[in-house]
Amino acid sequence: MNPSLRISLLGELSVTRNGTPVSLPASRKARAVLGYLVATARPVRRERLCELFWDLPDDPRGSLRWALSRLRAVVDDAATPRIIADRERVAFAAETATVDLLGIRARLLDDPPLIPPPELRIMASQLELPFLDGLDHAGDADFDNWLLSEREDVHLLRLNVLRRLALHPEIDRVEAVKWARHWKEQTPLQEEAARSLIHALAHTGREQEARHCEADFLAAAKDAGLQVSGPLMPDVTEALDDGTLHARPDETIQRRMLRKQQIGFCRASDGVRIAHASIGEGPPLVKAANWLNHLELDCNSPIWGPTFDACATGRRFIRYDERGNGLSDWDVPDITFDAFVKDLETVVDALGLERFPLLGISQGCAVSIAYAARHPERVSGLILVAGYPTGWRIGASPEEQARREAVLTLTRHGWGTANPAYRHIFSQTFMPDAKPEDLAWFDEFQRLTVSPENAVRFQEAFGTIDVRDSLSKVKAPTIVFHAREDQRISIEQGRELAIGIEHAEFVPLESKNHILLGYEPAWHDCVAQTKGFLRKHGI
């Protein structure tokens, strides 16, 4: 095989040669012919191609010859002709190129006992894309029926991959919850998928959610007239002498948080499903979403675990995954700053919160400010950490804008790969003083949390943020924290927030980290001063 030519059938049809995109014919029919020939990977009669794509009055044979000439210019080279045709048949020499779908299909049909998790994760991301997206109705009804059939096959391949991920012995229980949830969403009445999700939830300490999931599945199976082979809920607790249950003695703070966390879903006005979570008891504290969130993965992390534990001490701590990442819908039409604010509005309204303090971190600060300006009667206080009033397309120097544009290019081409170097750009600037193992965790966390496409869309949306006009409209007591040597957002931007919000307190922190870590003195200072701020204002 010559891997220099790569063809993607998943998503929009694309061709690259030696890593460089090749322009395709403008004709949808010509592109559809290429997709059909590559996907079928066998000779096709010329008459059949003419029937699929052209009506008789349009000189089908002449149109086919024209399309093949355009396609040869795309895929052939001097040493390797790939469009192979004679007077009767036309074929694409699939063995001379790398084709995403054909490679995945061959790998899965070999049915190896274990495919490494990184390879499976890439497959899952690729198979989420529609087969030959945008080529519907490029041919006749038979072509559309073939397209639907192939998309059904892609769907079955994706289920195969999700099953392997959910049950993989090398994937930890927390990540297994994600894949089991995706698997069950696609096959809501399949017992094995439901059992995998229930077991994954129970083994991460979330017995209550697992029992709800079990009850929902049993009810749905009964309504559908299906028999369940046996109990779905595993025994994951230990009994005391008095018959009560307790967690295992080696349970960490983060594991306890996961076990007690309650996850729910609500829908924004445009139909996007938003996932939210609550933990702890007491007056509410709401955290606006930031880059990046995942309600199941970040709670059990070395990065966010200590912060979330501090937030949930004596309070009902509420957070959510904004659209496009985490447990919220990924396939969304709108990833913009206004949509981020509406997601926050959706969550607090769904939970019936009347008045509450808001915690904003990074771009979550701008979301919190916009919400507080629009709903002053709802916000009792603002806690802003590492925030900024304007995005990089507005407030950054030309040099910084150029760097950000370069990172966008790297993200487009490398985010979803097994190589963490592309994501490490973010990890290193977010937390330059983090431990190596924490940076490695964050590298992988980012890949699991968002698709490459949405990672680019988020960065572009962050670049256009501008809440300067909203600063003077904030009436709630506000405290602004910012690391003096923040490598991501300069302390001057933090000061600009504090200057623009009337009576805001500004607290510089001795740190280089954009995300404060639970083992650094600046984190302890931030937590202590936040508690004092809330007490001072009776919040």
Side-chain angles (χ1 to χ4, degrees):
M1 178 189 295
N2 181 358
S4 65
L5 191 82
R6 294 180 176 271
I7 299 178
S8 294
L9 301 176
L10 299 169
E12 292 188 3
L13 178 68
S14 65
V15 178
T16 60
R17 181 179 278 107
N18 297 320
T20 301
V22 180
S23 296
L24 296 177
S27 166
R28 292 177 70 245
K29 288 186 182 294
R31 284 180 277 138
V33 168
L34 178 61
Y36 185 83
L37 290 172
V38 173
T40 53
R42 57 178 172 75
V44 182
R45 289 185 303 107
R46 284 179 179 266
E47 288 82 0
R48 180 57 177 158
L49 290 172
C50 290
E51 291 169 358
L52 285 173
F53 296 105
W54 290 280
D55 296 327
L56 282 175
D58 296 332
D59 184 17
R61 283 186 167 271
S63 297
L64 176 60
R65 286 194 299 271
W66 177 88
L68 294 178
S69 69
R70 297 300 185 273
L71 295 177
R72 287 190 176 97
V74 172
V75 299
D76 285 4
D77 54 50
T80 311
R82 295 185 173 88
I83 299 291
I84 311 299
D86 57 27
R87 294 176 61 87
E88 299 296 328
R89 293 176 176 81
V90 181
F92 178 82
E95 69 278 3
T96 65
T98 299
V99 182
D100 54 358
L101 178 58
L102 301 186
I104 292 172
R105 183 179 286 147
R107 182 76 162 122
L108 294 177
L109 289 179
D110 285 344
D111 199 26
L114 282 181
I115 297 176
E119 186 179 351
L120 287 171
R121 294 181 187 116
I122 292 172
M123 288 183 187
S125 176
Q126 291 175 311
L127 291 169
E128 193 174 8
L129 301 172
F131 173 75
L132 293 181
D133 193 20
L135 292 181
D136 303 72
H137 313 305
D140 68 358
D142 284 348
F143 173 75
D144 281 342
N145 288 335
W146 171 81
L147 201 59
L148 289 173
S149 176
E150 290 294 307
R151 287 174 178 172
E152 180 61 26
D153 186 60
V154 169
H155 174 69
L156 294 175
L157 291 175
R158 183 165 184 255
L159 292 181
N160 185 320
V161 171
L162 293 177
R163 179 184 182 278
R164 290 173 181 269
L165 284 164
L167 303 177
H168 205 292
E170 297 174 17
I171 286 180
D172 65 53
R173 296 285 190 179
V174 176
E175 184 184 349
V177 170
K178 168 188 172 179
W179 299 116
R181 195 185 298 280
H182 286 318
W183 181 21
K184 183 178 179 298
E185 285 176 352
Q186 298 297 314
T187 57
L189 292 176
Q190 186 179 89
E191 181 180 331
E192 186 183 20
R195 189 183 299 277
S196 73
L197 176 57
I198 292 164
H199 277 231
L201 288 169
H203 284 290
T204 54
R206 296 162 59 182
E207 290 90 348
Q208 182 180 9
E209 188 177 350
R211 294 190 187 281
H212 284 313
C213 184
E214 179 187 40
D216 290 344
F217 177 77
L218 292 175
K222 181 179 179 181
D223 289 343
L226 301 176
Q227 295 292 324
V228 179
S229 61
L232 301 177
M233 186 74 185
D235 181 12
V236 293
T237 55
E238 300 173 350
L240 297 172
D241 292 339
D242 62 2
T244 59
L245 300 176
H246 72 108
R248 292 187 174 90
D250 60 349
E251 185 178 51
T252 63
I253 290 174
Q254 289 90 340
R255 291 284 179 177
R256 284 200 302 276
M257 291 174 67
L258 273 173
R259 177 168 56 84
K260 295 179 179 179
Q261 178 174 253
Q262 295 181 333
I263 292 179
F265 297 89
C266 55
R267 288 199 181 273
S269 58
D270 59 357
V272 173
R273 186 180 64 170
I274 305 298
H276 56 82
S278 302
I279 187 172
E281 297 180 356
L285 170 61
V286 179
K287 174 187 169 291
N290 56 270
W291 171 282
L292 292 160
N293 302 124
H294 191 298
L295 297 179
E296 291 176 332
L297 300 181
D298 55 12
C299 195
N300 189 37
S301 78
I303 307 300
W304 295 113
T307 298
F308 293 171
D309 183 50
C311 290
T313 301
R315 288 187 173 270
R316 180 190 177 197
F317 180 49
I318 298 159
R319 57 202 177 89
Y320 61 96
D321 292 340
E322 66 193 350
R323 61 184 56 223
N325 80 139
L327 296 182
S328 294
D329 285 346
W330 285 26
D331 185 11
V332 296
D334 188 16
I335 293 184
T336 60
F337 179 69
D338 191 55
F340 298 155
V341 179
K342 289 179 180 177
D343 289 346
L344 172 56
E345 291 173 333
T346 298
V347 171
V348 296
D349 288 347
L351 294 175
L353 302 179
E354 295 182 358
R355 189 165 170 80
F356 48 88
L358 264 174
L359 167 63
I361 299 174
S362 193
Q363 88 273 3
C365 293
V367 173
S368 300
I369 289 165
Y371 182 89
R374 297 180 191 181
H375 307 280
E377 76 287 353
R378 304 280 293 275
V379 179
S380 58
L382 279 182
I383 305 151
L384 306 177
V385 184
Y388 52 92
T390 55
W392 58 271
R393 289 193 186 278
I394 299 171
S397 65
E399 294 78 10
E400 177 64 16
Q401 292 190 35
R403 284 193 290 269
R404 298 280 184 136
E405 291 285 2
V407 170
L408 276 176
T409 300
L410 290 173
T411 303
R412 286 190 183 97
H413 297 291
W415 186 270
T417 68
N419 186 345
Y422 297 95
R423 300 176 296 277
H424 198 66
I425 295 170
F426 296 93
S427 306
Q428 190 64 49
T429 55
F430 275 112
M431 300 166 292
D433 283 345
K435 300 174 182 177
E437 59 269 27
D438 292 349
L439 290 174
W441 181 92
F442 196 67
D443 289 341
E444 180 65 2
F445 167 77
Q446 291 181 103
R447 189 186 62 77
L448 294 174
T449 301
V450 70
S451 66
E453 178 188 7
N454 283 355
V456 172
R457 295 173 71 190
F458 273 120
Q459 291 176 60
E460 290 175 336
F462 300 158
T464 60
I465 287 174
D466 189 350
V467 293
R468 287 173 294 185
D469 290 343
S470 297
L471 297 177
S472 62
K473 300 175 185 176
V474 174
K475 303 305 179 186
T478 302
I479 188 167
V480 180
F481 296 95
H482 211 103
R484 290 187 187 277
E485 299 179 74
D486 188 326
Q487 302 294 294
R488 191 76 187 170
I489 302 295
S490 70
I491 192 171
E492 285 74 21
Q493 292 224 56
R495 285 199 185 97
E496 190 176 344
L497 291 181
I499 292 169
I501 298 174
E502 188 176 7
H503 304 308
E505 301 178 44
F506 182 70
V507 181
L509 300 169
E510 302 302 325
S511 176
K512 295 180 180 178
N513 293 327
H514 184 61
I515 298 176
L516 299 175
L517 301 169
Y519 45 77
E520 61 176 319
W523 179 89
H524 292 280
D525 188 21
C526 183
V527 170
Q529 295 213 41
T530 296
K531 291 181 178 179
F533 167 79
L534 294 172
R535 283 195 303 268
K536 173 183 174 182
H537 295 281
I539 302 171

